[in-house]
């Protein structure tokens, strides 16, 4: 068994630009997005709010879930977030507490 892994979605604002990723260190990775440590999509479009995540037992399953979710239509992603996080709250503070 690998260490716990995560699939996550970030948003620039409620119903804004979306990003999906996977990682073995959710706190560190979201911090990197928020602080714009690495150049790329999230830095370019200001995508910093953690609006959803799920835990997997293995990185391979998290990566497979990420790949599948990236194929979803935008409307599906918005509906998914709205179902799991209706207020589109930034969950980062909750995961670092």
């Amino acid at each position: 068994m690998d260490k716990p892994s995560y699939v996550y979605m970030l948003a620039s604002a409620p119903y804004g630009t979306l990003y999906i990723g996977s990682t073995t260190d959710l706190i560190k990775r979201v911090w990197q997005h928020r602080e714009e440590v690495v150049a790329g999509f999230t830095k370019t479009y200001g995508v910093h709010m953690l609006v959803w995540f799920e835990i997997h037992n293995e990185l391979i399953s998290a990566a497979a879930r990420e790949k599948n979710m990236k194929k979803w239509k935008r409307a599906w992603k918005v509906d998914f977030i709205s179902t799991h996080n209706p207020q589109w709250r930034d969950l980062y503070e909750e995961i670092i507490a």
Side-chain angles (χ1 to χ4, degrees):
M1 179 166 115
D2 290 337
K3 59 193 215 174
S5 301
Y6 306 85
V7 181
Y8 62 94
M9 279 197 254
L10 304 176
S12 60
Y15 304 95
T17 303
L18 302 175
Y19 174 84
I20 300 174
S22 59
T23 184
T24 57
D25 189 338
L26 184 62
I27 292 171
K28 179 180 177 181
R29 188 66 183 123
V30 174
W31 177 86
Q32 290 172 333
H33 289 299
R34 293 170 74 88
E35 298 299 318
E36 300 182 343
V37 174
V38 180
F41 183 88
T42 58
K43 182 176 181 178
T44 300
Y45 295 98
V47 182
H48 303 131
M49 292 174 42
L50 177 65
V51 293
W52 174 84
F53 67 94
E54 71 183 14
I55 304 169
H56 291 257
N57 290 328
E58 298 178 335
L59 182 57
I60 194 163
S61 65
R65 174 82 159 148
E66 172 194 3
K67 186 176 180 179
N68 178 269
M69 291 177 81
K70 284 184 172 183
K71 295 176 186 175
W72 291 6
K73 295 178 181 185
R74 176 180 166 75
W76 297 355
K77 296 173 192 174
V78 168
D79 287 345
F80 185 82
I81 295 166
S82 294
T83 299
H84 292 87
N85 183 359
Q87 286 78 38
W88 288 66
R89 291 176 300 110
D90 187 348
L91 304 173
Y92 183 70
E93 294 301 321
E94 294 177 25
I95 67 168
I96 63 170

